[in-house]
Amino acid sequence: MEVKAVEFVRKAHEALHNPRLQEALRRTEAKFVQGRREALRHLEDPDAVRRHATAIRDTVLRQLDAWLIHFERQAQARGATVHWAEDGREVARILTDIARRHGVRKAVKSKSMVSEEVGLNAALEAAGVQVVETDLGEYILQLAEEPPSHIVAPVLHKTRDEIADLFARHHGRPRKTDTAALTREAREFLRPHFLSADMGISGANFLVAETGSVLIVTNEGNGRLATTLPRVHVAITGIEKVVPTLEDAATLLRLLPRSATGQDITNYVSLLTGTKQAGDADGPEHFHIILLDNGRSRLLGSELEPILRCIRCGACMNHCPVYQSVGGHAYGWVYPGPMGSILTPLLAGLERATPLPNASTLCGRCAEVCPVNIPLADLLRELRHVQQVRGLRPRLETLSLRLWRALVLRPRLYHAVMGMAAWLLTRLAGARGRLCRLPGAAGWFAHRDLPAPAGETFLAAWARRRGKP
Amino acid sequence: MRVGLFVTCIANLMRPAVGFAALRLLQAAGCEVVVPPGQTCCGQPAYNSGDFETGRKIACKWAQDFAGCDYVVVPSGSCAGMIRVHYPRLFAESDMQGEAVRQLAARTWELTAFLVEVAGLSQPPGWYQGKITYHDSCSGLRELMVKTAPRTLLARMPGLVLEEMDGCETCCGFGGTFAVKFGEISSHLADNKCAAIHATGAQAVVAGDLGCLLHIEGRLRRLGDTTTQVLHVAEVLAGRQGEVAWK
Ligand code: SF4
């Protein structure tokens, strides 16, 4: 997927003026935020579970290599083949290789963010493989030729009416607007694909080292069909997704759906272990697991490592006031919201995502809800620091900060300048008591007035008062 | 109890009344208040823009300014959070200068939390007649857990009614330089906040951070609301209506 994160401001502007999107965002915010709050109440001590989950993730990250090798051994022992991919190009090569070897003409896909990350569909289609998205949301986006706008609810930005139009156009059936009818129609179109596909592609919510299993959670059951019906199953996931034991996976599963959609548990939790064995009713004959690095291992041991704890629940975006205002497309890549503002620069390149680390008020609501306690605001600030060190901050900002720093560290000068500013601003505001514009401050005054100051700084007034008898 | 008052640069420049109100409240709580004349800014603009080196320099300066104080009190959750939470992070554990900063930072408080938890102010000296609503500014709320302290104090004021707004913990969109760089998103968030304020029918919106307040007031006025008062919690508690006669 192309990285368009530098266009954040323009895309945010469009989003703010798109009434349908605004309506959709308001609705989902209400649903997800409230849903999470309710669902967490069903846990006896949610914060203890969150601490435990954090510890599990950290344990893995501290010795990621060892856990991955452990996982690989267990998966191999059960008949799976594990591939290691440095970047998206390698994933494409490995996957097209597999497809060619098994004579694959059609692949059905369950939802996978990593596949968006590496532009998998395009690569497969270039290799002559037809790709069908089977997650309802992803299917809709495939018809609309749009990227997802949310990692859990990819079509969050679309209204039912738009979807009805889309289906009518592509399916050639009478237009319907009822959700159940639309879902049924999609199902009718998707079912034959499951049966005729040679390959199923999925992501992984977790990789269980103990058993070599790939764990996926879905709400639609399409994941189970895609991973068990076709002859070949390929699971593609980031290397950070491994957890030590089934018990650990269970702990994380207590948080993932609750944080994501406000469900106590998702409709389907599939634990995919090895290939079809003699006596098994179903399952793939060939099971390949592609472990993607794509810049992740570079983060290990760095200040930014905690982002690798992420379990992709989406709670941070659901609760982020900026995401709630502009939606996911404004962020310009696969991962939106606070976690995306960290992941996009790290995985796709800081130069290609300069606005993102700054597109946050650092209000901290994201970290407050993150089930694995990722200090998202601190990481955003850390990225700003990296930008500063690498000279990627706006020139004007750097210049004015340098000027301001020179003042702050020289109190006498600072107070003289402040005194003048207080006097001047008050004069400019006049009887109205507020300023409506000021040269060089368009960013503020385009949207707001500024209440006038009192004419004298506190410290000057205080000194004067103390000087009096 | 020697309490250093850190007025914050925005209050110093834009609304000295907040500084005087804080002074009055601390005195009412029986503190000996000192106002170091060389104090400037806590360094947030640089720190939040990723310039940690400048942050360190300013932290050291700040620690010198307030050396000898038993406590430092700040009428701003975000500046107090900067000092208390972020200053210590700027220094390596073995750093001697950092040690001085760390020790003082640990004794730094947001004003209302200090009044309730340390000074035990039982009766705020001000008075206020009417209905207000309270906006929980993000840093104070999430970095310092300032939530009940301002409400406890406001509840002790006869004649004052607190009507909570929807989403009182939701960011108003100020965010320091965010308000300038992403003006449109910032004002969109402010609009949500203004709507929530209006829905309560309160005559005043009150908060503990002047940055948020200037942003909210600026947006309210731009939208044509000239009547809703926008007040710092210190101004309300010390009695802005009528009598902070400092001129
Ligand atoms: S950063 Fe935290 S809240 Fe956001 S998606 Fe990842 S786990 Fe969920």
Side-chain angles (χ1 to χ4, degrees), chain A residues 151 307 310-317 339 369-372 374 376:
Chain A
I151 60 168
I307 194 61
C310 178
I311 59 171
R312 306 288 190 267
C313 71
C316 55
M317 52 202 76
M339 58 82 94
V369 298
C370 176
V372 285
I374 301 174
L376 292 149

Side-chain angles (χ1 to χ4, degrees), chain B residues 25-182:
Chain B
L25 289 167
L26 289 169
Q27 282 164 348
C31 306
E32 180 206 338
V33 189
V34 290
V35 184
Q39 59 174 288
T40 54
C41 169
C42 69
Q44 255 184 103
Y47 180 67
N48 281 344
S49 303
D51 184 354
F52 295 174
E53 180 51 40
T54 297
R56 246 185 306 276
K57 277 231 161 69
I58 293 176
C60 291
K61 177 198 175 295
W62 172 87
Q64 275 168 12
D65 288 343
F66 288 90
C69 293
D70 298 318
Y71 294 98
V72 181
V73 171
V74 192
S76 154
S78 107
C79 306
M82 172 72 196
I83 294 164
R84 188 150 175 169
V85 178
H86 298 289
Y87 273 10
R89 294 182 182 173
L90 283 167
F91 299 90
E93 210 130 303
S94 54
D95 191 325
M96 280 310 291
Q97 247 181 339
E99 191 45 40
V101 173
R102 232 189 309 272
Q103 289 198 4
L104 198 52
R107 287 181 271 122
T108 298
W109 287 75
E110 185 275 341
L111 175 68
T112 59
F114 179 82
L115 291 173
V116 172
E117 286 169 44
V118 183
L121 176 69
S122 50
Q123 187 56 52
W127 63 271
Y128 190 96
Q129 197 67 41
K131 185 152 82 173
I132 66 145
T133 190
Y134 197 84
H135 164 65
D136 293 281
S137 292
C138 302
S139 308
L141 175 71
R142 299 197 178 86
E143 292 180 342
L144 302 174
M145 319 297 159
V146 175
K147 176 79 187 180
T148 51
R151 289 174 172 78
T152 304
L153 291 169
L154 290 168
R156 290 182 189 154
M157 297 180 68
L160 182 148
V161 181
L162 174 66
E163 176 89 24
E164 296 286 358
M165 68 173 109
D166 261 2
C168 60
E169 293 188 358
T170 304
C171 180
C172 69
F174 173 58
T177 53
F178 179 87
V180 175
K181 285 187 190 160
F182 301 92

Side-chain angles (χ1 to χ4, degrees), chain A residues 13 17 325 363 368 378 381 384-385 393 397 405 408 414-415 436 445 447-449 451 456-459, chain B residues 9 12 14 16 39-40 47-48 50 54 89 138 142 171 179 181-182 184 186 188 215 218-219 222:
Chain A
H13 171 82
H17 291 88
S325 302
C363 77
E368 192 177 68
D378 291 337
R381 199 185 291 106
R384 297 178 188 184
H385 176 58
R393 311 272 319 160
E397 177 197 285
R405 163 186 154 142
V408 170
Y414 177 86
H415 291 304
C436 303
F445 287 102
H447 308 279
R448 287 151 291 225
D449 294 344
E456 190 178 20
T457 64
F458 171 85
L459 288 170
Chain B
C9 55
N12 180 49
M14 297 302 292
Q39 59 174 288
T40 54
Y47 180 67
N48 281 344
T54 297
R89 294 182 182 173
C138 302
R142 299 197 178 86
C171 180
K181 285 187 190 160
F182 301 92
E184 202 177 3
S186 170
H188 179 85
H215 165 69
R219 189 61 188 165
R222 181 61 61 92

Side-chain angles (χ1 to χ4, degrees), chain A residues 72-350:
Chain A
E72 181 182 35
R73 290 226 180 91
Q74 296 303 316
Q76 281 168 344
R78 286 163 179 81
T81 313
V82 178
H83 309 260
W84 301 79
E86 186 70 44
D87 54 18
R89 216 172 309 146
E90 272 191 33
V91 173
R93 188 177 49 71
I94 295 166
L95 195 67
T96 43
D97 242 34
I98 298 170
R100 200 165 302 131
R101 212 169 336 128
H102 297 293
V104 172
R105 277 154 318 163
K106 187 196 280 184
V108 281
K109 264 181 72 194
S110 173
K111 197 160 96 47
S112 149
M113 285 292 121
V114 160
S115 82
E116 304 277 348
E117 185 182 321
V118 299
L120 202 66
N121 291 14
L124 274 171
E125 272 155 21
V129 178
Q130 184 196 353
V131 185
V132 182
E133 296 285 354
T134 66
D135 172 87
L136 181 57
E138 294 286 344
Y139 175 67
I140 293 165
L141 293 179
Q142 191 174 32
L143 296 184
E145 298 182 39
E146 279 177 32
S149 68
H150 189 285
I151 60 168
V152 173
V155 276
L156 184 135
H157 58 286
K158 279 209 172 312
T159 59
R160 199 171 17 175
D161 264 341
E162 288 173 87
I163 295 165
D165 289 343
L166 202 62
F167 276 16
R169 190 148 20 98
H170 283 88
H171 291 165
R173 297 225 184 136
R175 185 178 186 275
K176 38 187 90 71
T177 49
D178 175 49
T179 307
L182 285 167
T183 313
R184 197 173 325 116
E185 187 173 302
R187 200 175 288 147
E188 280 164 26
F189 274 80
L190 283 172
R191 226 165 247 163
H193 288 304
F194 286 117
L195 294 168
S196 58
D198 316 288
M199 182 195 266
I201 300 173
S202 75
N205 289 91
F206 302 112
L207 303 167
V208 185
E210 176 182 41
T211 56
S213 314
V214 169
L215 191 154
I216 63 174
V217 297
T218 62
N219 269 324
E220 297 168 15
N222 65 311
R224 296 197 310 173
L225 295 171
T227 56
T228 52
L229 286 179
R231 295 180 277 128
V232 186
H233 171 204
V234 185
I236 304 169
T237 187
I239 49 170
E240 80 281 15
K241 288 292 184 72
V242 65
V243 298
T245 63
L246 282 172
E247 171 106 33
D248 294 332
T251 299
L252 293 167
L253 279 180
R254 299 175 78 192
L255 292 171
L256 176 57
R258 286 187 166 94
S259 306
T261 48
Q263 294 168 288
D264 287 348
I265 190 158
T266 49
N267 293 350
Y268 301 93
V269 176
S270 309
L271 201 58
L272 306 155
T273 314
T275 48
K276 179 176 179 174
Q277 303 293 311
D280 283 355
D282 55 20
E285 292 157 30
H286 308 278
F287 184 15
H288 296 270
I289 302 165
I290 306 179
L291 301 176
L292 171 72
D293 185 337
N294 210 22
R296 288 162 171 81
S297 60
R298 259 201 328 255
L299 305 176
L300 292 169
S302 79
E303 300 277 341
L304 292 151
E305 184 188 279
I307 194 61
L308 294 177
R309 281 185 215 146
C310 178
I311 59 171
R312 306 288 190 267
C313 71
C316 55
M317 52 202 76
N318 296 340
H319 289 76
C320 170
V322 175
Y323 180 95
Q324 287 166 357
S325 302
V326 303
H329 284 162
Y331 293 82
W333 200 47
V334 189
Y335 305 106
M339 58 82 94
S341 294
I342 295 161
L343 274 182
T344 303
L346 290 176
L347 302 185
L350 197 51

